[in-house]
Amino acid sequence: VIPTGLSNAVSPQPLTQVTLDLRKLYRNSPAAMVGMLMTGIIAGIWNFQAPVFAEQTGLSGNQIPLMLALAMISGAVFQLPLGRASDRMDRRYVMIFAGIVGVGCAIAYQIVPGAASAPGIFITVFILGAVLFPIYSLVVAHANDYAEPSEFVEISSGLLVVNGAGAMIGPVLSGFLIVSLGPGGFFLSLAVAFAIFGGYAAWRI
């Protein structure tokens, strides 16, 4: 406390108070707002239902955390190339790519022989993780591309609320499909969310 109290550095200005304005958020970037809602739904599905899916497919107590870790490792590895790609082109093209990868993983789980086995699930989840985690930052960056610097806090906080709303919706929808269709309902719910995520970005282009 003493060095801080003796310092003659200028104190930071108080934080700017912002309000949630969904209409302004949508006007700023429709693709970002809808994309963030779907990002929240995707995150909610994964965070809450992935362990349920893994248990229902017969993965052991050691394999379930390995599956979750593989997705996180993949997200950490691929966030850099995806980020660089989005800096060199319209970010919506990268959003479309992410949607295609997400839908492709879901389809592969359903139709590729051996995809429902432990090795098949690990491979599918690793590929899925490449887009599962980086899309949040991708959507925020796209929204900030169309915002003034003074609006960054308002835009980011609004997107965070939208993301939270999606995170509440995702597990409920996925849970219903898992109960109705079995483990395949998990990937089906992700496929629908990723399809809307990438499809809406394509439509906005």
Side-chain angles (χ1 to χ4, degrees):
V1 174
I2 292 175
T4 303
L6 294 177
S7 172
N8 58 3
V10 178
S11 298
Q13 295 298 315
L15 294 176
T16 303
Q17 296 297 316
V18 298
T19 58
L20 178 62
D21 189 342
L22 294 180
R23 286 182 296 182
K24 180 180 179 181
L25 193 62
Y26 184 82
R27 288 195 304 268
N28 175 72
S29 175
M33 182 171 175
V34 174
M36 186 55 76
L37 177 64
M38 303 318 300
T39 297
I41 290 176
I42 290 167
I45 293 171
W46 177 259
N47 291 333
F48 290 95
Q49 300 292 5
V52 176
F53 160 79
E55 190 274 335
Q56 287 192 353
T57 55
L59 294 184
S60 68
N62 292 328
Q63 290 174 325
I64 293 175
L66 175 60
M67 184 195 82
L68 300 176
L70 284 173
M72 296 189 70
I73 292 170
S74 177
V77 169
F78 287 99
Q79 63 179 335
L80 183 59
L82 284 177
R84 285 182 172 174
S86 73
D87 286 338
R88 294 188 173 98
M89 65 181 74
D90 190 325
R91 298 188 202 276
R92 289 171 294 190
Y93 287 115
V94 184
M95 293 169 67
I96 295 169
F97 171 77
I100 292 172
V101 171
V103 173
C105 287
I107 294 175
Y109 174 79
Q110 300 289 347
I111 66 174
V112 174
S117 64
I121 291 173
F122 292 156
I123 294 172
T124 303
V125 164
F126 184 80
I127 297 172
L128 179 67
V131 296
L132 182 71
F133 293 102
I135 56 175
Y136 179 91
S137 300
L138 175 64
V139 172
V140 172
H142 177 67
N144 286 338
D145 288 341
Y146 294 91
E148 298 295 330
S150 60
E151 298 175 324
F152 286 169
V153 173
E154 183 177 4
I155 294 296
S156 296
S157 60
L159 290 176
L160 188 61
V161 172
V162 173
N163 180 267
M168 292 187 292
I169 297 171
V172 177
L173 296 178
S174 182
F176 174 78
L177 290 175
I178 291 174
V179 170
S180 302
L181 304 175
F186 171 74
F187 270 107
L188 177 61
S189 60
L190 283 174
V192 172
F194 270 110
I196 297 173
F197 177 85
Y200 190 78
W203 184 73
R204 289 305 305 179
I205 293 175

